[in-house]
Amino acid sequence: NSQRAHLKQAQLASKAFADKCLVVCDDTWFMSEQGIFSGKSSAAIPYFLANGFKLLESTNSNPGYVVLGRFSN
């Protein structure tokens, strides 16, 4: 499925990321009532957050986007 594919892509691509970088995930949004991310990158967002990224911005509607940043190693 799409979420699984995007998680795998995030895991592979993040190996090449600079220590300071931004990631933008389109077609992904935060569902505040449920406290979860939904959409194509919903499985990748927790991976990024667990690996030093900070949530910078997200929308609460579909279609949406999420912006994450990492600013040090």
Side-chain angles (χ1 to χ4, degrees):
N1 76 22
S2 182
Q3 290 88 358
R4 195 174 305 128
H6 280 77
L7 172 58
K8 185 67 173 173
Q9 292 165 8
Q11 292 167 331
L12 293 172
S14 65
K15 294 176 184 176
F17 290 172
D19 290 343
K20 297 179 182 179
C21 62
L22 296 174
V23 173
V24 178
C25 301
D26 68 337
D27 298 326
T28 304
W29 59 98
F30 185 70
M31 299 174 63
S32 55
E33 289 184 17
Q34 293 84 0
I36 61 170
F37 289 93
S38 187
K40 293 190 310 187
S41 297
S42 60
I45 303 300
Y47 170 80
F48 285 126
L49 294 173
N51 285 278
F53 284 81
K54 304 287 184 219
L55 179 64
L56 302 178
E57 186 174 344
S58 70
T59 57
N60 291 343
S61 61
N62 177 11
Y65 63 89
V66 175
V67 181
L68 302 126
R70 182 174 65 191
F71 304 104
S72 63
N73 205 354

